[in-house]
Amino acid sequence: MASCTVEERGCPYSLDYRIFFKNDKGQYISPFHDIPIYADDGKEVFNMVVEIPRWTNAKMEIATKDPLNPIKQDVKKGKLRYVANVFPHKGYIWNYGAIPQTWEDPVHQDTDTGCCGDNDPIDVCEIGSKVCSRGEIIQVKVLGTLALIDEGETDWKIIAINVEDPEAAKFNDIDDVRKLKPGYLEATIDWFRRYKVPDGKPENKFAFNGEFKNKKFATDVIRSTHDFWKTLVNKKTDGEICCVNTTLADSPLRCDQTSAAATVTAAPACGNANPIPPEVDKWFYCEEK
């Protein structure tokens, strides 16, 4: 896809902060629905929306229930959400985001995991050397996947690398990560297992005993979530997911640019970032089980 730009509204690290997206024509779009899943279908290169840059803690995500699906900070019990630093991990240890035009169907029970989807676009952990920017659209090569079972839901974590990474040509499947970045997959398991423990929750579980699945398996999972998304976006839903878009010709929820611009301008004007709470820098030490 041609380059996108972002428009920030509200103050970063506040309840009203939003990142809206525009395409190369300056038209407002949904990063969930209007950005194509593929950057290059023939080479199996996917688009990725970066929600959270590596080493940061603010839990930013595509707002699946809001018109135009801007990125905003997750809220739990009325408070902005930050992931804890669980030693030795500082914030997120990859560039974290989602593949557009995918959806993990919450009523579809996966035959491999035995659990239904988490009602979100499929997640991506990008392992390249560049620290990306929030809202950046990058093109990634898929290498494998991990099947996290998060509070009883299937929550696939795709392992991928930016195609513009200097070493991208060396990475073609999950075993290349194990060989060229020793310890990274083990750290990924550890991160997802323990990241909710500081909130008083139990350690997360994994399907396949925490085994990473290869590129083909991961690509098949992505394609299945794309099929679920196509079903979602071409019919009206119960309100759980907002499918308002500006480019999908066959979608009953396509809107014009006047309506899209009204959605954006209704949000508060962009302001200075609020300070990040000092407790976000705290380290947590969890005993190995």
Side-chain angles (χ1 to χ4, degrees):
M1 181 182 182
S3 60
C4 292
T5 56
V6 297
E7 181 175 329
E8 293 182 292
R9 305 288 293 189
C11 300
Y13 313 117
S14 74
L15 292 171
D16 61 12
Y17 180 64
R18 302 289 187 274
I19 298 176
F20 290 94
F21 288 74
K22 290 181 177 180
N23 62 17
D24 61 331
K25 299 176 183 177
Q27 299 169 324
Y28 289 111
I29 58 172
S30 159
F32 187 0
H33 305 302
D34 291 310
I35 296 174
I37 179 176
Y38 291 107
D40 188 331
D41 187 358
K43 295 182 179 178
E44 293 188 332
V45 175
F46 295 87
N47 283 311
M48 172 184 172
V49 181
V50 177
E51 298 164 312
I52 306 168
R54 187 165 64 244
W55 312 136
T56 63
N57 300 76
K59 180 71 172 74
M60 300 285 180
E61 59 186 15
I62 291 172
T64 58
K65 299 179 183 179
D66 295 0
L68 296 182
N69 313 113
I71 289 176
K72 68 178 182 180
Q73 191 165 353
D74 191 22
V75 176
K76 286 289 176 71
K77 298 181 180 178
K79 294 184 65 176
L80 294 169
R81 188 175 169 198
Y82 296 87
V83 299
N85 301 308
V86 181
F87 187 83
H89 310 304
K90 173 65 178 78
Y92 284 74
I93 63 173
W94 342 258
N95 295 303
Y96 192 76
I99 296 178
Q101 297 187 342
T102 63
W103 180 56
E104 297 194 60
D105 188 344
V107 299
H108 171 77
Q109 187 177 51
D110 189 276
T111 54
D112 290 310
T113 68
C115 298
C116 294
D118 71 347
N119 207 27
D120 283 329
I122 201 163
D123 296 321
V124 187
C125 303
E126 191 280 318
I127 65 169
S129 57
K130 176 187 174 183
V131 177
C132 294
S133 302
R134 189 183 303 140
E136 188 174 353
I137 309 299
I138 63 173
Q139 288 69 53
V140 297
K141 181 193 298 188
V142 168
L143 305 172
T145 190
L146 176 68
L148 175 68
I149 307 301
D150 191 350
E151 299 184 26
E153 297 174 330
T154 302
D155 191 1
W156 294 103
K157 305 299 180 185
I158 301 297
I159 307 300
I161 190 166
N162 191 335
V163 296
E164 295 184 357
D165 189 89
E167 296 190 315
K170 299 177 182 178
F171 289 84
N172 296 294
D173 215 317
I174 198 68
D175 286 340
D176 296 322
V177 183
R178 190 170 285 110
K179 179 176 65 175
L180 298 170
K181 292 181 180 280
Y184 209 166
L185 296 182
E186 291 81 2
T188 295
I189 287 275
D190 186 61
W191 196 98
F192 281 117
R193 177 183 289 120
R194 300 193 291 155
Y195 81 104
K196 289 187 176 181
V197 171
D199 297 328
K201 295 184 177 180
E203 292 185 350
N204 278 322
K205 306 294 184 183
F206 305 92
F208 313 112
N209 295 315
E211 174 192 350
F212 285 84
K213 293 297 187 178
N214 65 14
K215 176 188 180 76
K216 182 185 183 305
F217 189 103
T219 303
D220 287 345
V221 169
I222 295 168
R223 286 179 174 145
S224 71
T225 62
H226 181 53
D227 289 340
F228 293 139
W229 170 83
K230 285 189 285 189
T231 301
L232 169 75
V233 81
N234 286 313
K235 64 180 182 181
K236 293 186 178 180
T237 64
D238 298 329
E240 276 294 305
I241 300 291
C242 183
C243 293
V244 170
N245 64 86
T246 64
T247 66
L248 302 176
D250 296 331
S251 172
L253 294 175
R254 182 179 179 184
C255 75
D256 59 28
Q257 284 298 307
T258 300
S259 298
T263 295
V264 177
T265 56
C270 185
N272 294 328
N274 288 346
I276 295 176
E279 59 266 25
V280 173
D281 289 328
K282 180 179 178 180
W283 287 94
F284 290 85
Y285 298 85
C286 298
E287 192 173 341
E288 292 284 349
K289 294 184 179 179

